[in-house]
Amino acid sequence: MKSLRILRWLPFVVMFAVAMVDLLAGRSLVFLPLLTLGPAFASLSGGVRRTAMVGAVALAICVPMAMRNDVLFTWENNLTMVSIAGVTAASMLASRLRLQRERELASVRRVAEAAQRVLLRPVPRRAGDVRVGLSYTSAAAESQIGGDLYEIVTTPHGVRLLIGDVQGKGLAAVETAAWVLGAFREAAYDEADLGHIGERLEASLARHLNGEQFVTAIVGEIHDDALSLVNFGHPPPLRIRADGETHCIEPPEPALPLGLGAFDVGVAKAHRSAFTGGDRVLFFTDGVIEARDPSGTFYPLAERARLLLRAEPQAALDALRADLVAHTGGPLLDDAAMLLLHRRAR
């Protein structure tokens, strides 16, 4: 990367600049102590050996330039060389600690991402006359991964789906997501009513979460020409018709997020939404709509959803994801999961 190349060359550029300034300033002004900037900058990107090499170069520059006064071992020159040696030693230690920390973070991230890949199994790309696209973008936040979750299963009651977002990040969020997915995969086969699936998820979370944690989610079922949905405090999905018209599928009676069932004794009710030939329905987590550009503007998902009409579900979703990343101008601050359903025109 460009920034890494700049950091690798920065120590030599700084030392060369210090030497030139010292030569031009004459013998009355001494800038040689600034050569310590070389090994200090080297520790930001280089290893221990590279930092030591930069320190040796700094000393190699310092010695001949210090001899311009015909006396090498003056008090000032000795202090400068000791300073360079001391800063080099400290920079080598800092470089070693930095590399050790980077290795630890990389190891933790690999383990966490492997756990999440096992947790989020590949979803089927077809369910009857419905094609499925999936996109999952992890936030670039050191070793932290999020609790976004999704699943599509074929059951005796029909094709059912789940998308959700666990409050918080890290392995604790992944553990909570595992409880939700495990409970859903079991309940989706057993329960005929989507509201009762929500009850099973709530009961599972009640055994594991405290009162301050929750999971937003949507549980759905695909029918001929329709979708049944139960929304547990999750961002409503978008329906994109074949003619480009877009609208949110808002629940008439929104339910509380999972994990907050103690505040609501009623059973969540499913509602139906049209899902006819040529329609596309986009389910997403809040990492999509909360993504901001450098000026702080949120990603305009409803406006950009027309991108989903241009290709097959997976290719269309990949194009939308690329547009999302381009909007932020850098890594996302939160995980973003998207699930796209496309019912082929008959």
Side-chain angles (χ1 to χ4, degrees), residues 8 28 73 81 126 136 177 182 208 212 228 244 280:
R8 292 182 67 84
S28 58
F73 297 105
M81 289 185 285
R126 290 187 180 221
Y136 187 92
H208 300 289
E212 298 179 354
S228 289
R280 302 191 180 205

Coordinates of all heavy atoms in Angstrom, one line a residue, residues 8 28 73 81 126 136 177 182 208 212 228 244 280:
R8 N 8.0 3.4 5.1 CA 9.3 2.7 5.0 C 10.4 3.6 4.5 O 11.6 3.5 4.9 CB 9.2 1.5 4.0 CG 8.3 0.4 4.6 CD 8.2 -0.8 3.7 NE 9.5 -1.5 3.6 CZ 9.9 -2.4 4.4 NH1 9.2 -2.7 5.5 NH2 11.1 -3.0 4.3
S28 N 27.9 26.9 13.2 CA 27.4 27.6 14.4 C 26.1 26.9 14.9 O 25.8 27.0 16.1 CB 27.1 29.1 14.0 OG 26.2 29.1 13.0
F73 N 35.3 13.7 19.4 CA 34.7 13.4 20.7 C 34.6 14.6 21.6 O 35.1 14.6 22.7 CB 35.6 12.3 21.4 CG 35.6 11.0 20.6 CD1 36.7 10.6 19.9 CD2 34.5 10.2 20.6 CE1 36.8 9.5 19.1 CE2 34.5 9.0 19.8 CZ 35.7 8.6 19.1
M81 N 25.6 11.1 19.7 CA 25.8 9.7 19.4 C 25.1 8.8 20.4 O 24.5 7.8 20.1 CB 27.2 9.4 19.2 CG 27.8 9.9 17.9 SD 29.5 9.4 17.6 CE 30.4 10.4 18.9
R126 N -31.1 -21.1 -4.2 CA -32.4 -21.3 -4.8 C -33.4 -21.9 -3.8 O -33.0 -22.8 -3.1 CB -32.4 -22.1 -6.1 CG -31.7 -21.5 -7.3 CD -31.8 -22.3 -8.5 NE -31.1 -21.7 -9.6 CZ -31.6 -21.6 -10.8 NH1 -32.8 -22.1 -11.1 NH2 -30.9 -21.0 -11.8
Y136 N -21.9 -10.3 2.9 CA -21.5 -10.0 4.3 C -20.2 -9.3 4.3 O -19.2 -9.8 3.8 CB -21.4 -11.3 5.1 CG -21.2 -11.1 6.6 CD1 -22.3 -11.0 7.5 CD2 -19.9 -10.9 7.1 CE1 -22.1 -10.8 8.8 CE2 -19.7 -10.7 8.4 CZ -20.8 -10.7 9.3 OH -20.6 -10.5 10.6
A177 N -25.2 -14.9 18.7 CA -25.7 -15.2 17.4 C -25.9 -16.7 17.3 O -26.8 -17.2 16.6 CB -24.8 -14.7 16.3
G182 N -29.1 -21.4 16.4 CA -29.5 -22.8 16.8 C -30.9 -22.9 17.2 O -31.6 -23.9 16.8
H208 N -29.8 -17.0 28.5 CA -28.4 -16.7 28.3 C -28.0 -15.2 28.4 O -26.9 -14.8 28.8 CB -27.9 -17.1 26.9 CG -28.1 -18.5 26.6 ND1 -27.3 -19.5 27.2 CD2 -28.9 -19.2 25.8 CE1 -27.6 -20.7 26.7 NE2 -28.6 -20.6 25.9
E212 N -30.0 -6.2 29.7 CA -29.5 -5.1 28.9 C -29.1 -5.4 27.5 O -28.8 -4.6 26.7 CB -28.4 -4.4 29.6 CG -28.7 -3.9 31.0 CD -27.5 -3.2 31.7 OE1 -26.4 -3.3 31.1 OE2 -27.7 -2.7 32.8
S228 N -44.5 -13.8 4.5 CA -45.0 -13.6 5.8 C -43.8 -13.2 6.7 O -42.7 -13.9 6.6 CB -45.6 -14.8 6.4 OG -46.9 -15.1 5.8
G244 N -39.1 -0.8 -10.9 CA -38.2 0.1 -10.2 C -38.8 0.8 -8.9 O -38.1 1.4 -8.2
R280 N -38.1 -8.1 -6.1 CA -36.9 -8.4 -5.3 C -37.1 -7.8 -3.9 O -37.6 -6.7 -3.8 CB -35.6 -7.8 -5.9 CG -35.4 -8.4 -7.3 CD -34.0 -8.0 -7.9 NE -33.9 -8.6 -9.2 CZ -32.7 -8.9 -9.8 NH1 -31.6 -8.7 -9.2 NH2 -32.7 -9.4 -11.0

